[in-house]
Amino acid sequence: MQFWAIQTLNSLALGGLLFLLSAGFSLIFGLMRIANLTHGALFMVGAYLGATLLRWVPNLWIVALLSGLIVAAFGFLLEKFILEKLKGNVFSQVLVTLGFAYIIADFCLVTWGGDPIPIPTPPSLQQPLRVAGLAFPAFRLAVVGIAVLAAIVLYLFIERTRIGAMIRAGVDDMEMARAVGIPVRRLFSIVFCLGAGLAGAGGVIGGPIMSAYPGLDADMLPLALIVVILGGVGSLVGAFVGSFITAFVYTFGVALFPQLAYVILFLPMIFVIAFRPRGLFGKFAA
Amino acid sequence: MATELALSVEGIDALYGESHVLHAVSLSLRPGTVLALLGRNGAGKTTCMSTIIGFLRPRAGTIRVFGEKISGLLPEAIARRGVGLVPQGRRVFPTLTVEENLKVAARPAPGGWTLEKVYALFSRLQERRAQHAGSLSGGEQQMLAIARALMGNPRVLLLDEPSEGLAPIIVAEVARTIARLKAEGQSIVLVEQNVKLALKLADDAVILNTGRIAFAGEAEALRRDETLITQQLGVH
């Protein structure tokens, strides 16, 4: 019983982290039509920055915010000074994001070394929560709470504001969005910044669960890709639902059939791509 | 001279990949008038619209709006300089509500179009304001596409086949709307397969034939020249 309860909570916590990672990934993909392959690296550099910042600021949530802002600023520069120069050339843009994924990974290796750096759980959340004779790690519950909160705020931004409507218009029909005068360049900046910031903050919040280690980027990026294939490109609701489905499949796959974890994860993708190439909520095929 | 024109297209060449689709095309739209752009399928009418709005960069030639050069600018910059497009196939934003479609395109101008004025022009849109645009009928989508363009308070309105695929009663409504916009002083380029409709509304007309100008003059002259119409536009 404890096994199932814990694995369920682990799935929910991973789902929350995946949402923080993939919400931006999906919006960037939907609007700019590029798979931002630095997204895993942004998550990782966020975690490393968090580990360092925690020495000066002993509060994980504030550090997550700071780390998110720093990574968002980096994302802004990357979009403004590199991706924009390659506008209209999606293939080059994707290659550049892949190149930056390697550069960031090497930068992290040089700066923080090859050993994993643990990120401590906030003291107030170290005691497990006991419900009906089962013990739940309180921190993971908090992660789920933060992800749901982030989802609500993002949803309101995308669905209830004029800028959000402009972003959706761009996802619907980029050319026509430009023709009605929507400043798409600015939207690209906003979405890229937002996505990078969420990934960076997500790395810190995931820190106590995963810690910061070389290869964290490569572990997270495929999961974000799966979320987006499953949920649909450019859809926030899709990213939310896709994150939790992916997290459950991955967590239980690893726990029950460790040798087959990736098979269990990727096999359903074949069926999604074959029978529903737009994903559950997407407008066009990834 | 050129500053007197609402829109002047001077000798533009445009290419799709390697195929040359516009050859030295020139258009002159006088302020407050309707210019009909006619021609058979594939004559280059929509390509001409795409070049004006900036989807396509002309290889040669200049495009000006009230004297201001717009050729070479990005579509969003061209829209901000006062060109509004009602595209072929309407292309409303399907997942946005009717009202969101209008709001994202809004560029307020003193005394210009507002949400209220646009709803007064198309009351059906007000009834359906909270509905997703993708769920509207073809006629309603056409009205939304026109309303969306008006929200940007364009100095020049490009209408690309607004009657396409609509029931006759809706076509009549679209025609009345165009006539009303013209009466209010809107400068309009009207691309149409429906020659009768276009010539009824137009002051001037241009016929394109395989990317070249085959006729340019007053609509009245074309209305009287059955032979030219038959020869250039087939039936009617």
Side-chain angles (χ1 to χ4, degrees):
Chain A
M1 194 57 203
Q2 178 75 46
F3 168 81
W4 295 100
I6 284 292
Q7 293 303 335
T8 300
L9 181 57
N10 286 349
S11 303
L12 288 172
L14 179 62
L17 290 176
L18 282 183
F19 175 73
L20 293 179
L21 179 70
S22 57
F25 185 78
S26 179
L27 287 176
I28 292 168
F29 205 157
L31 188 69
M32 301 172 68
R33 306 290 195 267
I34 59 171
N36 174 27
L37 299 180
T38 53
H39 227 72
L42 296 174
F43 185 90
M44 177 170 74
V45 83
Y48 275 120
L49 278 173
T52 299
L53 287 169
L54 272 168
R55 285 193 231 145
W56 320 101
V57 186
N59 180 310
L60 188 81
W61 311 114
I62 294 173
V63 165
L65 196 68
L66 291 174
S67 192
L69 288 174
I70 295 170
V71 178
F74 172 76
F76 175 79
L77 297 175
L78 175 61
E79 200 282 323
K80 194 88 205 154
F81 292 105
I82 309 226
L83 295 181
E84 194 182 314
K85 303 290 175 246
L86 298 168
K87 64 188 170 201
N89 193 340
V90 168
F91 191 64
S92 300
Q93 288 179 323
V94 173
L95 275 179
V96 163
T97 66
L98 180 63
F100 266 90
Y102 286 122
I103 292 170
I104 294 169
D106 273 2
F107 170 79
C108 288
L109 198 59
V110 168
T111 311
W112 285 285
D115 295 326
I117 301 177
I119 293 175
T121 305
S124 59
L125 295 170
Q126 278 170 357
Q127 293 302 316
L129 218 69
R130 293 188 185 281
V131 179
L134 301 170
F136 294 98
F139 179 72
R140 298 192 181 221
L141 286 170
V143 169
V144 179
I146 295 245
V148 170
L149 192 70
I152 292 170
V153 171
L154 272 179
Y155 183 84
L156 291 175
F157 170 62
I158 295 290
E159 295 292 329
R160 294 282 178 270
T161 68
R162 183 162 179 252
I163 291 182
M166 286 178 169
I167 291 171
R168 281 178 288 132
V171 173
D172 269 0
D173 187 338
M174 171 61 65
E175 200 176 56
M176 208 46 228
R178 309 190 102 130
V180 301
I182 291 174
V184 273
R185 296 253 146 258
R186 214 174 308 154
L187 296 186
F188 285 2
S189 281
I190 290 170
V191 167
F192 209 88
C193 245
L194 188 70
L198 281 170
V204 179
I205 292 169
I209 299 172
M210 308 176 159
S211 73
Y213 62 92
L216 177 60
D217 54 342
D219 284 347
M220 294 309 280
L221 185 64
L223 295 177
L225 274 167
I226 288 171
V227 167
V228 171
I229 292 169
L230 194 61
V233 170
S235 162
L236 208 55
V237 176
F240 191 78
V241 174
S243 291
F244 286 100
I245 293 176
T246 305
F248 268 89
V249 171
Y250 184 68
T251 306
F252 279 94
V254 169
L256 297 171
F257 315 99
Q259 310 88 332
L260 293 176
Y262 269 93
V263 176
I264 291 171
L265 199 55
F266 280 97
L267 206 56
M269 289 309 113
I270 297 172
F271 291 98
V272 172
I273 289 170
F275 296 109
R276 207 174 158 80
R278 296 158 164 206
L280 299 173
F281 300 91
K283 283 139 209 157
F284 54 85
Chain B
M1 275 297 288
T3 52
E4 288 163 21
L5 292 171
L7 175 74
S8 84
V9 173
E10 298 151 20
I12 55 166
D13 282 9
L15 296 95
Y16 264 128
E18 288 304 300
S19 67
H20 209 150
V21 285
L22 294 179
H23 304 266
V25 168
S26 295
L27 305 171
S28 299
L29 173 67
R30 294 177 287 134
T33 68
V34 175
L35 172 70
L37 184 56
L38 309 170
R40 292 197 179 94
N41 272 333
K45 306 184 297 294
T46 293
T47 306
C48 198
M49 295 298 103
S50 299
T51 311
I52 296 170
I53 196 67
F55 293 163
L56 222 63
R57 270 168 185 244
R59 285 293 174 93
T62 314
I63 305 170
R64 293 174 201 280
V65 171
F66 286 92
E68 190 178 356
K69 188 181 165 209
I70 58 162
S71 38
L73 298 178
L74 291 169
E76 54 267 42
I78 292 173
R80 280 196 290 274
R81 278 165 182 73
V83 179
L85 173 68
V86 179
Q88 190 176 29
R90 329 190 217 293
R91 291 172 76 172
V92 296
F93 302 118
T95 68
L96 272 61
T97 64
V98 166
E99 191 146 307
E100 283 172 341
N101 265 274
L102 299 171
K103 280 184 172 168
V104 296
R107 241 184 337 278
W113 289 99
T114 59
L115 211 50
E116 292 71 38
K117 284 188 190 171
V118 160
Y119 280 149
L121 185 65
F122 299 113
S123 53
R124 286 294 286 281
L125 295 183
Q126 183 162 26
E127 288 164 28
R128 306 203 182 276
R129 62 201 290 174
Q131 214 169 303
H132 283 267
S135 70
L136 299 179
S137 71
E140 289 163 346
Q141 288 193 11
Q142 188 63 64
M143 286 163 202
L144 179 56
I146 295 173
R148 180 180 62 181
L150 292 176
M151 287 298 286
N153 285 297
R155 295 191 285 173
V156 170
L157 184 61
L158 309 174
L159 292 163
D160 197 349
E161 305 223 12
S163 78
E164 189 190 28
L166 299 181
I169 186 163
I170 311 288
V171 172
E173 191 175 343
V174 168
R176 274 197 304 278
T177 306
I178 298 170
R180 186 176 153 186
L181 294 174
K182 179 186 170 185
E184 290 177 8
Q186 178 73 58
S187 314
I188 297 170
V189 178
L190 175 61
V191 172
E192 261 304 333
Q193 293 277 358
N194 185 338
V195 176
K196 233 160 101 184
L197 171 80
L199 289 182
K200 206 163 69 188
L201 292 161
D203 302 282
D204 299 307
V206 166
I207 298 178
L208 278 182
N209 193 338
T210 57
R212 291 184 171 81
I213 301 276
F215 169 88
E218 287 184 11
E220 183 56 34
L222 197 54
R223 268 193 289 266
R224 276 186 270 111
D225 195 342
E226 295 268 344
T227 336
L228 187 61
I229 291 180
T230 315
Q231 187 192 336
Q232 288 295 339
L233 303 168
V235 286
H236 293 285

